[in-house]
């Protein structure tokens, strides 16, 4: 497996990053099996693992920590903070210094490690100054608890604001961005990817199979909503015209993959990691079989003809169903988008 530069950090990572969201009660609650999957990924050449404190309420971090014992130095380990860890406590979430200082200690304990290679803000906070978050994260780097910091699901303007704040306040800067990206969710091509590239950041894209849409699981002859509560229902409501459109596209993509001599899964993941602005695609297997189906994509280069055909099915920069987008959660609420002054 060829390794790629993580932005301008000097670090080299695999084009596939092992996502750990499905390890624990949210997905695979068999710890021993989850650890076997992690070990197999490492043996296959993946040196990049991504998790988050919120995944299965911390169980994912614990499983990753257990799996990496004796192999920690061989892995570039990333985790995230921000999402609520206690629904009853409004301060156990978001990007305040108070929460960051506590959450990193919790993650270090669960991961059973002295340091985190990449510590990421899971989402931007509409009511927290970016300098507050960057200041606390900079202190963690200076203390040796964190090596690098990154963002996730930041808009282009938020990425730029954070870079400027780091420069103007002499703070550590985000070296990575983690956005959603797949054949069906191409919105980041218009703004996010060019912005990240201009600032020399690495890009770790998540959901290359678009929540299972590009795995072949949901087809016209077997369309049904997923059972996992981790999946937003609007993304799988088959009565929506946008989701019916996705079903049509998946049929055409499956045929294209067959003609190109690969599986639909391999086509979908290869599409993501073939983009020059993408460092790694995060793949989140629940089973060993799923991991095995992802691995061949790391060595596939798509021809211009195949890429052109994909562009005909989903135009560059287009997200087929806006419900699949992680952006605009605050900006487009009814209260925020009103055109009438109060």
């Amino acid at each position: 497996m060829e390794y790629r530069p993580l932005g301008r950090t000097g670090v080299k990572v695999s084009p596939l990053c092992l996502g750990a969201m499905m390890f624990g009660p949210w997905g695979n609650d068999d710890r021993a099996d989850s650890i076997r999957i992690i070990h197999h990924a490492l043996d296959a050449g993946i040196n990049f693992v991504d998790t988050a404190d919120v995944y299965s309420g911390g169980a994912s971090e614990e499983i990753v920590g257990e799996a990496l014992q004796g192999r920690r130095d061989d892995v570039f380990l990333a985790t995230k903070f921000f999402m609520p860890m206690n629904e009853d406590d409004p301060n156990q979430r978001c990007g305040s210094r108070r929460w960051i200082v506590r959450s990193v200690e919790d993650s270090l304990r669960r991961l059973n490690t002295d340091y985190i290679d990449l510590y990421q803000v899971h989402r931007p906070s509409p009511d927290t100054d970016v300098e507050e978050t960057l200041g606390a994260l900079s202190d963690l780097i200076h203390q040796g608890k964190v090596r690098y910091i990154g963002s996730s699901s930041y808009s282009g303007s938020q990425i730029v604001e954070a870079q400027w704040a780091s420069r103007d306040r002499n703070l550590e800067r985000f070296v990575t961005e983690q956005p959603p990206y797949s054949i069906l969710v191409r919105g980041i091509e218009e703004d996010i990817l060019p912005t990240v590239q201009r600032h020399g950041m690495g890009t770790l894209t998540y959901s290359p199979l678009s929540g299972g849409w590009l795995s072949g699981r949901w087809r016209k002859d077997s369309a049904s909503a997923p059972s996992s509560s981790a999946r937003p229902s609007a993304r799988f409501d088959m009565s929506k015209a946008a989701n019916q459109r996705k079903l049509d596209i998946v049929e055409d993509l499956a045929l294209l993959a067959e003609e190109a001599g690969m599986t639909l899964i391999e086509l979908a993941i290869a599409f993501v990691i073939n983009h020059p602005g993408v460092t790694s695609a995060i793949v989140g297997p629940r089973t060993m079989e799923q991991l095995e189906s992802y691995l061949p994509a790391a060595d596939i280069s798509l021809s211009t003809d195949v890429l052109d055909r994909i562009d005909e099915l989903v135009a560059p920069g287009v997200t087929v169903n806006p419900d699949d987008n992680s952006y605009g959660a605050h900006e487009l609420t009814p209260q925020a988008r009103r055109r009438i002054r109060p």
Side-chain angles (χ1 to χ4, degrees):
M1 190 174 294
E2 294 186 9
Y3 297 93
R4 301 174 170 187
L6 185 69
R8 292 201 292 261
T9 64
V11 173
K12 296 290 184 69
V13 294
S14 49
L16 298 183
C17 172
L18 181 67
M21 189 176 79
M22 288 291 102
F23 300 146
W26 284 11
N28 186 346
D29 206 16
D30 184 334
R31 288 201 172 207
D33 188 48
S34 294
I35 290 170
R36 282 193 293 270
I37 294 170
I38 295 171
H39 286 168
H40 186 63
L42 301 184
D43 292 340
I46 292 177
N47 72 341
F48 196 177
V49 177
D50 177 82
T51 184
D53 55 3
V54 74
Y55 295 163
S56 290
S60 171
E61 286 187 326
E62 292 174 352
I63 292 168
V64 169
E66 184 176 349
L68 295 186
Q69 292 309 297
R71 307 184 70 162
R72 175 65 185 89
D73 291 341
D74 300 327
V75 174
F76 191 83
L77 177 60
T79 191
K80 301 180 285 293
F81 70 93
F82 184 85
M83 301 302 190
M85 292 299 286
N86 183 337
E87 294 294 344
D88 297 326
D89 188 343
N91 290 314
Q92 291 192 35
R93 66 191 71 190
C94 297
S96 70
R97 173 179 289 273
R98 184 178 189 273
W99 177 236
I100 290 171
V101 169
R102 174 176 170 181
S103 64
V104 73
E105 297 295 342
D106 290 342
S107 287
L108 288 168
R109 171 178 49 79
R110 287 189 292 261
L111 291 165
N112 195 20
T113 185
D114 295 328
Y115 67 98
I116 295 165
D117 291 296
L118 178 63
Y119 200 40
Q120 303 158 97
V121 189
H122 213 148
R123 291 291 186 274
S125 178
D127 53 7
T128 306
D129 286 339
V130 68
E131 291 90 344
E132 166 90 2
T133 300
L134 287 168
L137 293 173
S138 295
D139 288 345
L140 298 184
I141 290 179
H142 301 156
Q143 294 164 10
K145 296 176 181 178
V146 170
R147 298 291 191 259
Y148 304 96
I149 57 175
S151 56
S152 177
S153 294
Y154 272 46
S155 67
S157 64
Q158 289 166 332
I159 292 169
V160 172
E161 180 188 11
Q163 293 292 318
W164 284 359
S166 296
R167 181 192 64 189
D168 294 344
R169 301 297 180 89
N170 197 29
L171 299 171
E172 300 290 341
R173 74 184 190 101
F174 291 139
V175 301
T176 59
E177 162 61 14
Q178 185 178 137
Y181 186 43
S182 72
I183 295 175
L184 299 176
V185 183
R186 300 184 63 174
I188 68 168
E189 292 173 338
E190 187 171 18
D191 185 25
I192 305 301
L193 282 177
T195 300
V196 168
Q197 288 177 282
R198 283 198 301 272
H199 287 280
M201 301 168 68
T203 309
L204 327 173
T205 63
Y206 65 86
S207 203
L209 301 181
S210 201
W213 277 92
L214 297 173
S215 69
R217 180 177 177 184
W218 294 287
R219 302 286 292 273
K220 279 197 163 185
D221 57 354
S222 60
S224 62
S227 57
S228 172
S229 60
R231 306 295 189 190
S233 58
R235 298 176 59 185
F236 300 90
D237 182 351
M238 298 305 174
S239 68
K240 288 197 168 190
N243 288 334
Q244 287 296 315
R245 172 63 181 142
K246 287 197 293 188
L247 287 176
D248 291 335
I249 294 169
V250 168
E251 294 297 322
D252 290 334
L253 288 171
L255 180 60
L256 176 62
E258 183 178 356
E259 293 172 349
M262 65 188 76
T263 67
L264 177 59
I265 288 174
E266 291 166 359
L267 174 72
I269 297 175
F271 169 83
V272 172
I273 61 177
N274 272 222
H275 194 292
V278 172
T279 307
S280 293
I282 300 172
V283 292
R286 182 177 52 82
T287 66
M288 187 71 77
E289 181 182 13
Q290 289 176 347
L291 174 62
E292 291 281 9
S293 71
Y294 304 156
L295 292 173
D299 299 316
I300 293 176
S301 294
L302 300 182
S303 69
T304 300
D305 290 343
V306 170
L307 291 171
D308 286 345
R309 179 60 182 138
I310 291 173
D311 287 348
E312 292 173 3
L313 295 172
V314 182
V318 169
T319 295
V320 179
N321 182 355
D323 288 319
D324 292 333
N325 208 331
S326 295
Y327 302 98
H330 303 288
E331 291 81 359
L332 298 181
T333 59
Q335 296 81 3
R337 71 172 185 257
R338 292 299 93 190
R339 295 180 291 274
I340 300 175
R341 293 181 181 275

